[in-house]
């Protein structure tokens, strides 16, 4: 065992909060086994052997984006080869197909489209809610929310953000995904995603959502030009924002952290290696250890691959996202936009790793289903008639 990890292990076993220095020591250590064991200890305290997945569909409504982030291979400019935007009807149709196939959630995000009006987004939500009322709509990153505040001339300030979120919630928005956070650091921001909102605005959007009673997620995009100190700082800001939501008694809060490994292919940063599998495992484990007030750590199998996500269940992960079906933002190993895993494969991977697969809805209520029909039950009521 790496001797430097001994005092950290003592803290973890005693249930004490880790410091930024502890986070850095963990990320610098090559003792991935001890780090994994500690994260597994915490994960089992939260969830035992339960491992969550959901039946969902990711919908990327447009890849046209006003920004040009260097890590992103998804965005196009209007008129570029491959640029697309779905109509509201297209999106509603895809959501209906998902619901008919038994999905409990649609995850909808897109580029910062320069011309689509605010009504496009509210019509999309209202259309889905009318056509598939049971489907949970998790949509729009904090970056899109600020964009919508600007295009609807409400400004990117707190009042504008709050009023946009209230309107979207009224139209059917169920929760916010964790995207767009990247790395909370100004140097990295200016070098890799200049023009995007900074950390304070990303956090302000999530805080406003929590106040309005919306659950949200958080991501960190690692393995590009950020330092290990930047990663730890990101964890600290997330942990602090979650403390605030809890202390203030907001009905909304962060549910899940999703560490996203940078996939270099076809991006402006293609010359970089991106993180290795060992870095992936360490990041997932350190997320579990640092974010002691987040209930869930998700491995997004689309990016981490299902093989590594399965291994990650022993490194603090308790969630593997879902069936996904179509995904356009990243394509590992030359995958096409159609990226789907069946429930059987997801469950098999979880069982093989020694854990218990549990289908969840977006709010982590257990799902009982009969084919495409389903109902959500609070965990305590599972199996009860
Ligand atoms: O915001 C973009 C990232 C995010 C690349 O909330 C890249 O449940 C790696 O946020 N390599 C979108 N990552 C994905 C996302 C997400 C995924 C699954 C579940 C949830 C959730 C959220 O993907 C973007 C950006 O941070 N991204 N390009 C890339 N080349």
């Amino acid at each position: 065992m790496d001797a430097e990890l001994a005092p950290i292990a003592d803290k973890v076993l005693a249930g004490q909060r880790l410091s930024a220095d502890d986070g850095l020591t963990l990320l610098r250590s090559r003792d991935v086994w001890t780090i994994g064991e500690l994260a597994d200890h915490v994960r089992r305290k939260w969830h035992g052997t339960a491992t969550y997945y959901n039946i969902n569909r990711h919908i990327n409504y447009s890849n046209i984006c006003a920004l040009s982030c260097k890590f992103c291979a998804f965005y196009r400019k209007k008129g570029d080869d491959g640029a697309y935007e779905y109509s509201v009807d297209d999106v509603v149709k895809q959501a209906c197909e998902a619901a008919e196939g038994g999905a409990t959630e649609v995850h909808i995000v897109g580029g910062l489209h320069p011309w689509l009006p605010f009504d496009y987004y509210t019509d999309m939500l209202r259309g889905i809610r009318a056509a598939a009322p049971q489907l949970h709509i998790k949509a729009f990153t904090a970056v899109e929310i600020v964009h919508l505040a600007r295009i609807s001339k409400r400004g990117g300030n707190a009042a504008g953000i709050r009023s946009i979120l209230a309107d979207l919630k009224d139209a059917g928005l169920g929760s916010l995904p964790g995207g767009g956070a990247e790395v909370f650091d100004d140097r990295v921001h200016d070098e890799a995603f200049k023009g995007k909102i900074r950390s304070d605005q990303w956090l302000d959007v999530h805080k406003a959502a929590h106040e309005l009673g919306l659950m949200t997620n958080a991501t960190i995009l690692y393995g590009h030009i950020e330092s290990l100190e930047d990663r730890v700082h990101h964890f600290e800001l997330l942990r602090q924002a979650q403390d605030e939501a809890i202390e203030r008694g907001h009905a909304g809060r962060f549910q899940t952290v999703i560490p996203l490994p940078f996939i270099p292919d076809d991006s402006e940063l293609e010359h970089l290696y991106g993180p290795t599998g060992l870095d992936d495992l360490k990041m997932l484990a350190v997320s579990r250890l640092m974010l002691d007030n987040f209930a869930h750590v998700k491995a997004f199998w689309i990016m981490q691959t299902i093989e590594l996500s399965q291994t990650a269940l022993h490194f603090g992960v308790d969630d593997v996202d879902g069936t996904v079906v179509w995904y356009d933002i990243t394509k590992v190993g030359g995958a096409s936009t159609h990226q789907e895993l069946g429930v059987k494969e997801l469950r098999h991977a979880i069982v093989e790793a020694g854990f218990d697969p549990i289908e969840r809805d977006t709010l982590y209520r257990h799902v009982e289903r009969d084919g495409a029909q389903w109902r959500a039950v609070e965990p305590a009521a599972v199996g009860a008639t």
Side-chain angles (χ1 to χ4, degrees):
M1 176 178 165
D2 176 351
E4 290 207 46
L5 298 184
I8 299 176
D10 289 344
K11 278 189 178 178
V12 171
L13 299 178
Q16 288 168 11
R17 176 161 278 194
L18 300 185
S19 66
D21 283 346
D22 294 334
L24 202 52
T25 304
L26 286 162
L27 285 176
R28 283 186 181 146
S29 173
R30 288 180 174 259
D31 186 357
V32 72
W33 299 116
T34 301
I35 298 168
E37 256 178 62
L38 294 175
D40 188 55
H41 169 82
V42 175
R43 178 253 203 256
R44 284 174 198 263
K45 266 200 345 199
W46 276 96
H47 307 291
T49 52
T51 297
Y52 298 99
Y53 67 94
N54 69 350
I55 300 189
N56 66 352
R57 172 114 31 135
H58 285 245
I59 301 176
N60 303 128
Y61 58 84
S62 175
N63 60 359
I64 297 172
C65 189
L67 300 175
S68 308
C69 301
K70 289 190 184 164
F71 60 80
C72 180
F74 169 65
Y75 77 84
R76 296 287 183 279
K77 300 296 170 191
K78 186 104 184 162
D80 278 358
D81 249 13
Y84 72 86
E85 71 202 36
Y86 294 142
S87 67
V88 167
D89 285 350
D90 287 336
V91 176
V92 173
K93 189 163 163 268
Q94 288 181 42
C96 283
E97 282 167 11
E100 281 157 18
T104 58
E105 166 192 287
V106 276
H107 177 145
I108 305 177
V109 294
L112 301 190
H113 196 293
W115 299 290
L116 288 172
F118 183 55
D119 286 354
Y120 170 87
Y121 304 88
T122 46
D123 287 351
M124 180 196 296
L125 296 171
R126 288 211 165 82
I128 297 171
R129 193 159 68 169
Q134 209 188 357
L135 201 56
H136 180 104
I137 310 172
K138 180 174 75 172
F140 312 132
T141 65
V143 188
E144 288 162 280
I145 300 296
V146 173
H147 175 69
L148 298 185
R150 288 183 186 144
I151 60 160
S152 61
K153 302 211 165 53
R154 297 179 216 194
N157 57 17
I161 288 167
R162 206 185 149 81
S163 101
I164 284 292
L165 285 169
D167 282 2
L168 294 173
K169 188 178 175 206
D170 186 54
L173 181 71
S175 62
L176 291 188
E182 322 314 358
V183 180
F184 295 153
D185 178 76
D186 284 349
R187 175 196 65 87
V188 182
H189 173 276
D190 291 354
E191 284 180 31
F193 44 96
K194 208 175 166 91
K196 204 167 210 167
I197 57 171
R198 290 180 189 271
S199 50
D200 50 349
Q201 257 189 319
W202 190 96
L203 289 162
D204 284 348
V205 170
H206 283 258
K207 287 177 189 175
H210 296 161
E211 264 180 63
L212 285 169
L214 292 168
M215 292 296 187
T216 76
N217 288 339
T219 55
I220 172 169
L221 176 69
Y222 65 93
H224 43 97
I225 61 162
E226 87 289 0
S227 66
L228 297 185
E229 285 83 353
D230 296 334
R231 297 187 195 183
V232 172
H233 183 57
H234 192 101
F235 289 139
E236 278 191 293
L237 291 182
L238 287 179
R239 192 166 71 178
Q240 208 177 310
Q242 181 79 319
D243 277 347
E244 247 178 76
I246 295 167
E247 276 159 24
R248 295 187 180 170
H250 295 323
R253 62 182 62 173
F254 290 111
Q255 298 199 108
T256 311
V257 64
I258 308 115
L260 300 172
F262 168 55
I263 317 284
D265 309 12
D266 298 328
S267 75
E268 254 190 87
L269 299 178
E270 198 172 30
H271 55 285
L272 300 177
Y273 282 115
T276 62
L278 280 177
D279 197 11
D280 288 340
L281 292 176
K282 215 157 50 167
M283 261 309 267
L284 290 159
V286 177
S287 304
R288 179 60 288 166
L289 292 168
M290 287 299 288
L291 295 175
D292 55 8
N293 52 9
F294 276 57
H296 302 282
V297 177
K298 183 192 285 190
F300 185 41
W301 65 262
I302 291 273
M303 295 190 194
Q304 262 110 355
T305 75
I306 188 61
E307 290 81 3
L308 198 84
S309 303
Q310 182 190 39
T311 312
L313 299 181
H314 292 277
F315 286 77
V317 165
D318 65 279
D319 189 321
V320 291
D321 203 80
T323 45
V324 180
V325 188
W326 301 97
Y327 199 72
D328 207 17
I329 298 179
T330 54
K331 299 175 187 108
V332 172
S336 71
T337 307
H338 183 211
Q339 302 187 63
E340 181 169 7
L341 263 188
V343 170
K344 259 190 171 167
E345 286 101 327
L346 280 172
R347 293 182 70 94
H348 177 66
I350 295 167
V351 170
E352 275 286 284
F355 291 88
D356 297 315
I358 295 179
E359 185 186 345
R360 62 162 177 90
D361 71 357
T362 311
L363 304 175
Y364 287 85
R365 292 172 305 186
H366 295 194
V367 167
E368 285 187 351
R369 70 167 58 242
D370 179 9
Q373 307 296 313
W374 61 275
R375 70 183 185 109
V377 284
E378 295 301 333
V382 171
T385 48

